[in-house]
Amino acid sequence: MEGAVEYQVNLKYIKKAFLPVTREQKLAEFMPVFNVTGGEGEQKKVSGKVEARARVYLPEFLNFAKKLGGFKVEANESLLKWLNLPPSKRERLEYSGSKRIVLKTRDDYAYLRLMIYGVVMSVLKDPNDWGQLEDYVLSMEPMALRFWASRFRNTYWKYKNRRKLDYLARRFLEVEWI
């Protein structure tokens, strides 16, 4: 059963929020994918229930995923290059290809760190705070990591609402970080 669960983060289109700085925005869906053996010994991948959804800002979110290590990024290579351009150049150069991005990993702690970072990032509107959040999430103990990830997951499952997750993310900032 070792390695039977793979974690996946789908980055989808989301209507842009108004921010003082220009950022590419995506809706991140965090979900497990189970490897199941069928009746004739064939391997099948079955998607689990979505554990959280959050508005994330690129390329900071992808850079944090790379910093965690273990994530495979499935996206068009030219899209990743376009996202790493400065915002002034990005506005002039329009990207016309597929903007679908999928992150996959088997490391559960990296997945939990990315989930906490993504949910809390959605309530922090100041990009200067994102670096401090990165450092804090990287230094979190496994017990606190699992606690907050399960709180986010259970809240999302109960209410199916990003607003409730935002409320809980603000409580995270009060208790843990600030």
Side-chain angles (χ1 to χ4, degrees), residues 54-100:
R55 177 186 303 271
V56 295
Y57 304 100
L58 304 180
E60 290 83 4
F61 184 76
L62 292 175
N63 292 340
F64 183 68
K66 289 176 189 173
K67 203 181 281 188
L68 288 172
F71 277 96
K72 290 184 286 183
V73 179
E74 293 179 6
N76 194 343
E77 195 65 38
S78 58
L79 172 64
L80 297 175
K81 287 179 184 175
W82 180 75
L83 286 171
N84 284 323
L85 290 174
S88 59
K89 284 187 178 179
R90 207 178 317 141
E91 289 174 1
R92 285 183 276 145
L93 299 172
E94 188 62 33
Y95 182 78
S96 61
S98 171
K99 292 189 177 181
R100 179 183 164 87

Side-chain angles (χ1 to χ4, degrees), residues 26-167:
K26 292 284 188 182
L27 177 69
E29 282 187 341
F30 299 88
M31 69 174 63
V33 177
F34 302 99
N35 294 323
V36 180
T37 305
E40 298 176 10
E42 66 211 31
Q43 287 284 339
K44 258 179 28 178
K45 292 190 177 199
V46 178
S47 296
K49 196 174 180 182
V50 174
E51 296 182 336
R53 284 190 174 119
R55 177 186 303 271
V56 295
Y57 304 100
L58 304 180
E60 290 83 4
F61 184 76
L62 292 175
N63 292 340
F64 183 68
K66 289 176 189 173
K67 203 181 281 188
L68 288 172
F71 277 96
K72 290 184 286 183
V73 179
E74 293 179 6
N76 194 343
E77 195 65 38
S78 58
L79 172 64
L80 297 175
K81 287 179 184 175
W82 180 75
L83 286 171
N84 284 323
L85 290 174
S88 59
K89 284 187 178 179
R90 207 178 317 141
E91 289 174 1
R92 285 183 276 145
L93 299 172
E94 188 62 33
Y95 182 78
S96 61
S98 171
K99 292 189 177 181
R100 179 183 164 87
I101 302 172
V102 178
L103 304 172
K104 292 183 179 182
T105 187
R106 291 188 182 276
D107 183 6
D108 57 341
Y109 284 116
Y111 171 75
L112 295 178
R113 287 183 200 283
L114 193 65
M115 184 194 317
I116 290 173
Y117 179 75
V119 170
V120 177
M121 180 190 209
S122 66
V123 298
L124 290 175
K125 300 300 181 202
D126 186 11
N128 297 326
D129 293 338
W130 295 340
Q132 294 173 348
L133 178 63
E134 277 185 25
D135 296 337
Y136 185 78
V137 171
L138 285 173
S139 68
M140 282 179 77
E141 295 292 323
M143 221 35 181
L145 195 66
R146 288 207 179 272
F147 171 77
W148 283 107
S150 68
R151 293 292 296 167
F152 290 144
R153 180 184 312 122
N154 291 337
T155 300
Y156 185 76
W157 284 346
K158 184 175 182 182
Y159 297 106
K160 300 271 189 265
N161 191 338
R162 280 195 356 244
R163 275 197 188 154
K164 297 289 184 179
L165 274 182
D166 290 348
Y167 176 82

Side-chain angles (χ1 to χ4, degrees), residues 2-15:
E2 186 66 34
V5 179
E6 183 177 80
Y7 300 99
Q8 180 172 311
V9 181
N10 296 326
L11 299 178
K12 298 180 172 185
Y13 169 80
I14 189 168
K15 186 178 175 184

